Amino acid sequence: AGWEGQEEDEEQELRPRSELVGTWWEVEGLRDVAGDDAKVHVEGQDVHVSRCRGTMAAMQLVSCMGESKFVCVESCSSVHLSVETTTKAVLVLRCVKCIFVLGGKVPSVTLRDCINVEVVVGDGSVIGGIETIGCHGIVITTVPQANHAYLTVQQLSNSLQKNSVSVPERMTTSLVNGNMITTCGTSHSTKSNTAHDKMAHVW
């Protein structure tokens, strides 16, 4: 609750911007921005998307066109972000109710302290895996690549063949007859995960 209140105070003074600062594209504070104003044409730079926010009725669209290096998304809510290609990694911090569509080959994806986030990728595109830390309600949606080396953002978005899987949020290890057994679960499949449920209501 404290973090959310702090974000609201900061956004009252936040000036929406999308500009190249040194070697970084800074996309910050977009709300109800449409069309070309929500597109970033990247030519080998890093991208930092922060404090963008959609509404209950419509998500804020942000598109990274071209080849990005490192992509960092921070403190966003109700944002639909598409990235054509990235050569280093994708890091997502403290985002809520967002969708990330990652085209091309993706070296790695890390999500930290996120709630209700969906990541859409090709089924063989994430080379280094997808890591989640302190997250709740994460869904990985994959699209079959078939004979394609990679899939574009448009192919990922338009495909009718998608497989969505919820990432386990907790693991329980027990010893049974000398064997170690670990089971995984999400808040949808276990009634005892009340801490995560309370956190989701706060956010």
Side-chain angles (χ1 to χ4, degrees):
W3 175 81
E4 185 179 22
Q6 180 182 1
E7 286 293 305
E8 291 177 353
D9 292 341
E10 290 176 353
E11 284 181 1
Q12 291 179 358
E13 303 177 356
L14 189 63
R15 177 180 64 86
R17 61 174 181 149
S18 177
E19 58 188 9
L20 185 61
V21 181
T23 61
W24 283 82
W25 269 100
E26 289 285 351
V27 182
E28 185 176 40
L30 299 189
R31 302 184 71 172
D32 299 323
V33 176
D36 291 337
D37 291 335
K39 294 180 180 179
V40 181
H41 296 274
V42 186
E43 297 179 357
Q45 295 96 4
D46 298 318
V47 179
H48 183 216
V49 181
S50 65
R51 292 183 288 181
C52 297
R53 183 168 289 190
T55 64
M56 294 292 291
M59 303 186 83
Q60 172 63 57
L61 303 179
V62 181
S63 301
C64 294
M65 318 291 290
E67 183 180 281
S68 308
K69 285 186 177 180
F70 177 71
V71 177
C72 178
V73 189
E74 186 175 5
S75 303
C76 292
S77 65
S78 298
V79 167
H80 185 289
L81 171 69
S82 62
V83 179
E84 281 196 342
T85 61
T86 179
T87 59
K88 288 188 176 179
V90 176
L91 173 63
V92 183
L93 304 171
R94 299 183 303 277
C95 290
V96 181
K97 297 180 181 177
C98 293
I99 298 175
F100 303 112
V101 183
L102 308 178
K105 291 288 186 181
V106 184
S108 66
V109 180
T110 299
L111 296 96
R112 190 179 187 107
D113 301 326
C114 295
I115 293 179
N116 296 338
V117 167
E118 180 181 7
V119 179
V120 184
V121 292
D123 60 2
S125 66
V126 185
I127 301 169
I130 300 174
E131 179 183 29
T132 59
I133 304 170
C135 295
H136 164 83
I138 304 302
V139 174
I140 308 299
T141 297
T142 58
V143 176
Q145 292 181 207
N147 296 324
H148 299 283
Y150 61 87
L151 297 178
T152 65
V153 167
Q154 184 175 6
Q155 288 172 319
L156 291 169
S157 300
N158 295 340
S159 175
L160 299 178
Q161 294 181 304
K162 294 181 179 179
N163 180 39
S164 296
V165 177
S166 296
V167 175
E169 295 160 5
R170 67 176 201 156
M171 293 184 291
T172 303
T173 300
S174 58
L175 296 175
V176 180
N177 298 325
N179 296 317
M180 185 176 292
I181 300 175
T182 300
T183 57
C184 300
T186 66
S187 60
H188 300 293
S189 61
T190 177
K191 296 180 180 179
S192 59
N193 200 357
T194 55
H196 277 145
D197 292 337
K198 290 180 180 178
M199 185 186 301
H201 287 304
V202 170
W203 284 53

